[in-house]
Amino acid sequence: MKQGEPGRVEETGLSGPSDPAGSPVSREERSSRLSLSGGTILKLLFLAAVNAIALASIPTIWTARWWAGLIVVVGATLLLDIAYLTRRAIPLKYLIPGTIFALIFQVVPVVYSGYIAFTNYGTGNVLTKEQVLDSISTRVSNVPGATRYQANVLAADGGTGEFALLLTDDAGNQFLGTPEGLQDPGDIVLDDAGKVTEVDGYSALALRDLADRQDELQSEFEIPTEQGVIRVVTATSAALYEAVFQYDEASDTVTNIETGITYTPVEGNFVSSTGEKLTPGWVANIGWKNFSRIFTSQAIRGPFVRVFLWNYAFALLSVLFTFVVGLGLAMTLNHPTMRGKKIYRSFLIFPYALPAFLTALVWAGMLNQEYGVVNDVLSTNIPWLRDPWMAKLSVLLVNLWLGFPYMFLITTGALQAIPEDLKEAAFVDGATPRQAFRRITFPLLLVSVAPLLIASFAFNFNNFNIIYLLNGGGPPIAGAQTPAGHTDILISYTYRLAFEAGSGSDFGFASAIAIMIFIMVATISALSFRRTRALEDLA
């Protein structure tokens, strides 16, 4: 073979895969192989973690009989495995994870909130119907005049196992009570002092062991009998109890054995003919009731309308004020003759760099009527957070302080992206600076920042932190029968209805309002984005 022909170099051993000299070509190949190996290892570790999480969750999902969730988990895991274990279908390697994360973090919360909005899920209604029936059927009451027993507490396995009681009635008859029932005690072993030490393999519990297992003894141990159940009353006595309620599966009703009152299932609770409810209830579908409460309940409808109108005003004014102030500062600091721009710009973004929740709390202290620094400096006694209108003004001012740096940053970038040639051409055509701004700069600016203004509106529409941390939505609306304040927005009002109404949590009603907020914000955003396309056509 001649020099320069393919294979000649390999024969000499100067290069190629087995070349020990480490030529540039062989180093690149080796590096590529190492990189591929590292990526493959990371991919396999990722798939192993995904499969491990899926396998760990399957028993729980199977126990809960959540078949839809089981199908989703298994299907998503198989899709990920197929996508990443094949060299083809490269687009799926990006689409499948993105779709799964979008479903988990975007779609599922909305769908689940929609489901909860049509239920009575909340305090007192968190169990399933089967769990409620188990709870009701285990309720017992002491039988008046029934025999009380002298009891010796025993336990198997040397005091660590199953409980038993050596019972002695008033006539001196003795029984061994176990979870299976009453039986003859057989041989009873006594110590020298005459105390019971062992009965039929059960050992007497010492006082220390009895104290350690007292809760277990009183809450879980009972002896079934034909008249009811025998439970421990004290460490040395027991009594007969009987069931209070009886469930009739055929009629799906619960009857109080003592009073004879029958309870029928109504929207997640067993309810008597007089309206008395048995608690707890279960999670049940109640249709549009949560939504209709907003408009039919006078206690909710009155404050809701005021909160609804203020919510829109707060979101619109917050966007308007922050945009105007941010744009004004951006135009000022964008002037070519301005000196010290970097220093001023650094100072202006300070509010944006501080944690918003901490800033809100600081402002709440500064605006305190008695002890706040604002009234001290102004030598006034203004109720910044107690008067309805002053509280609204304070909320807007604090939100302006927090929000204008964001608008300042985005408008600065947008202004610097607008070509100067366009304005110079307008000036050549005789336009004034105001006309150049109105006809050229502002429309081009809106094309860039309009989507961000829409996002800012949506953010402020649900700006729970500033409302709740500054003054908790207060001051309260006089005469309102629900916990509503003059500065409450829908999200804070929903929170207070759900968690601070004094009757426990009402997740179903809160979800109904959350769904309404979602629909309103989505509608406004869709209309605004259509308007944004019109601006693009104008530009």
Side-chain angles (χ1 to χ4, degrees):
M1 184 176 291
K2 297 180 180 180
Q3 186 177 5
E5 291 182 358
R8 178 68 176 177
V9 178
E10 292 181 5
E11 288 183 2
T12 60
L14 296 177
S15 67
S18 60
D19 183 12
S23 68
V25 175
S26 63
R27 283 199 296 269
E28 290 176 1
E29 291 178 351
R30 191 178 297 112
S31 175
S32 175
R33 291 171 184 172
L34 289 175
S35 175
L36 181 61
S37 299
T40 302
I41 292 172
L42 288 176
K43 182 175 67 177
L44 294 176
L45 288 175
F46 168 73
L47 292 178
V50 170
N51 282 270
I53 294 173
L55 290 174
S57 64
I58 285 176
T60 303
I61 299 175
W62 184 276
T63 304
R65 297 180 180 278
W66 186 31
W67 308 126
L70 182 64
I71 294 173
V72 170
V73 170
V74 174
T77 306
L78 289 177
L79 283 175
L80 283 173
D81 289 343
I82 293 171
Y84 283 96
L85 291 178
T86 179
R87 294 184 177 181
R88 299 180 179 180
I90 293 178
L92 292 180
K93 299 180 190 300
Y94 301 93
L95 290 176
I96 290 178
T99 304
I100 291 174
F101 281 114
L103 289 174
I104 293 175
F105 295 107
Q106 299 292 333
V107 178
V108 171
V110 175
V111 173
Y112 186 70
S113 296
Y115 161 71
I116 294 297
F118 290 92
T119 69
N120 61 348
Y121 185 47
T123 300
N125 293 88
V126 297
L127 304 176
T128 64
K129 188 175 181 180
E130 290 74 18
Q131 291 173 323
V132 170
L133 288 174
D134 288 341
S135 174
I136 292 176
S137 63
T138 57
R139 295 180 186 177
V140 293
S141 66
N142 185 261
V143 180
T147 302
R148 292 179 69 91
Y149 299 91
Q150 180 183 350
N152 294 87
V153 182
L154 312 168
D157 301 330
T160 60
E162 178 184 82
F163 285 115
L165 294 179
L166 178 62
L167 302 170
T168 305
D169 61 16
D170 296 337
N173 300 315
Q174 292 186 311
F175 310 91
L176 179 62
T178 67
E180 286 74 32
L182 294 177
Q183 61 187 39
D184 186 356
D187 296 333
I188 301 174
V189 180
L190 306 177
D191 62 8
D192 296 338
K195 294 183 178 179
V196 176
T197 59
E198 185 177 339
V199 179
D200 196 21
Y202 292 93
S203 302
L205 279 181
L207 288 178
R208 184 178 60 184
D209 298 331
L210 182 59
D212 292 340
R213 303 183 64 185
Q214 183 176 5
D215 293 340
E216 180 187 356
L217 176 65
Q218 293 187 334
S219 62
E220 300 178 8
F221 179 67
E222 60 184 22
I223 303 167
T225 67
E226 294 180 356
Q227 296 77 27
V229 296
I230 297 175
R231 287 185 170 182
V232 172
V233 178
T234 67
T236 58
S237 65
L240 179 65
Y241 293 78
E242 65 178 4
V244 177
F245 297 101
Q246 184 176 24
Y247 175 65
D248 184 2
E249 187 175 359
S251 61
D252 194 20
T253 58
V254 172
T255 303
N256 189 317
I257 298 174
E258 296 179 356
T259 63
I261 298 175
T262 300
Y263 300 83
T264 56
V266 179
E267 295 183 347
N269 284 91
F270 284 107
V271 184
S272 70
S273 57
T274 59
E276 179 189 2
K277 286 184 179 180
L278 291 182
T279 57
W282 63 93
V283 180
N285 191 315
I286 59 174
W288 295 89
K289 190 173 181 179
N290 285 325
F291 294 91
S292 64
R293 281 175 61 192
I294 301 173
F295 304 103
T296 58
S297 173
Q298 182 60 36
I300 297 174
R301 183 177 57 193
F304 181 85
V305 174
R306 301 177 67 166
V307 170
F308 176 79
L309 295 175
W310 162 244
N311 200 156
Y312 268 98
F314 170 74
L316 286 172
L317 292 175
S318 293
V319 175
L320 176 63
F321 291 162
T322 54
F323 179 66
V324 170
V325 173
L327 177 59
L329 291 170
M331 293 179 64
T332 302
L333 296 180
N334 201 44
H335 198 278
T337 61
M338 184 74 181
R339 294 183 177 180
K341 295 178 183 178
K342 294 183 179 178
I343 297 175
Y344 289 125
R345 286 170 178 166
S346 300
F347 279 113
L348 287 177
I349 64 173
F350 273 2
Y352 196 50
L354 296 173
F357 77 93
L358 181 61
T359 305
L361 294 175
V362 170
W363 273 104
M366 293 171 62
L367 294 174
N368 186 279
Q369 184 176 357
E370 288 82 16
Y371 310 107
V373 67
V374 176
N375 274 340
D376 286 344
V377 171
L378 299 177
S379 298
T380 57
N381 189 31
I382 300 174
W384 295 100
L385 301 176
R386 295 181 180 178
D387 179 77
W389 290 105
M390 292 305 299
K392 291 178 179 177
L393 177 63
S394 300
V395 169
L396 287 172
L397 289 176
V398 173
N399 205 30
L400 169 63
W401 193 84
L402 286 169
F404 85 84
Y406 172 72
M407 294 295 181
F408 166 72
L409 290 174
I410 64 172
T411 52
T412 297
L415 286 173
Q416 293 177 349
I418 297 175
E420 289 293 330
D421 296 346
L422 296 175
K423 289 189 287 184
E424 292 175 358
F427 293 143
V428 170
D429 290 340
T432 63
R434 179 176 299 178
Q435 290 174 327
F437 174 78
R438 187 164 59 88
R439 298 283 187 179
I440 298 176
T441 304
F442 194 66
L444 293 175
L445 184 73
L446 284 182
V447 173
S448 302
V449 303
L452 301 176
L453 295 179
I454 297 169
S456 180
F457 175 85
F459 171 78
N460 283 294
F461 200 87
N462 295 304
N463 196 344
F464 176 84
N465 289 345
I466 187 66
I467 298 296
Y468 196 77
L469 294 177
L470 188 63
N471 66 343
I477 298 176
Q481 300 179 33
T482 54
H486 284 279
T487 58
D488 262 323
I489 57 177
L490 286 174
I491 191 67
S492 63
Y493 181 54
T494 302
Y495 177 83
R496 298 175 71 176
L497 281 175
F499 303 107
E500 298 180 354
S503 57
S505 303
D506 191 347
F507 300 114
F509 183 63
S511 296
I513 297 182
I515 291 298
M516 292 186 62
I517 294 174
F518 169 77
I519 293 173
M520 287 187 288
V521 173
T523 303
I524 293 171
S525 299
L527 294 175
S528 301
F529 276 117
R530 287 177 62 87
R531 180 60 181 169
T532 302
R533 286 200 294 269
L535 290 174
E536 291 176 353
D537 295 338
L538 180 63

